[in-house]
Amino acid sequence: MPASSHHNPTVFSRRQFLATVGALWLGAGLGIHSTPAAAFDTQRLRQSMQQQYGQAGLAVLEEWFALLQQLQNQDVQTKLRGVNDFFNRRIRWIDDIRVWGQEDYWATPLEAMGKGQGDCEDYSIAKYITLKQLGVTSQYLRMIYVRARIGRSQITQAHMVLGYYSTPDAEPLVLDNIVPSITPASQRTDLDPLFSFNSDGLWAGGSSESRADPLARLSRWRSVIERMQTQGFI
């Protein structure tokens, strides 16, 4: 997945890109439903972080708790900026194969914060879950899987960003790890949306109508939800 301009991420061929996308779409669901944003277990999160990542991970988790407290009563734009900056600064872009020994691993926010490393899905998931904890509900947020063009070339690679939608059919604001500022989608001409999803639905391209249950169709998202349940997020 793309990183900021000083990294050299792996470039996907068209066949590799389509294979990556195709691997996400599976037919079986687990019947897990989203829970209220405030349902996370603070003590269990601390225990999970301590056990997996020690004091360094726990220190970042405490910073995250402080961020939630700081932003809780702020307006939406302040929440978006605060969350976007927090993860862009605390997670270093590294390929999944180097971090997890897997070609494509979607980390939970606890894992991303504990490692201090991740790729585009990890940034997007962490920002999504954090904004939900801050009361920005799923109807305003979608993780968007895109083709990202590299520079001025026609070469593309798979990438994920988080979109904030003021209304279901509005132009989203894009929260990204490549471009630090939050920008309207129309200004990100380097990104071509393929599909988007959140806890409640899955949309093809720029459609405003959900086409499927994301837990039934996205195996990696289902895995993230299961691990978050174990860790204490939901």
Side-chain angles (χ1 to χ4, degrees), residues 5 29 105 114 133:
S5 59
Y105 181 85
Q133 298 293 349

Side-chain angles (χ1 to χ4, degrees), residues 173-185:
L173 296 175
V174 176
L175 287 69
D176 194 1
N177 62 290
I178 298 176
V179 177
S181 59
I182 298 173
T183 56

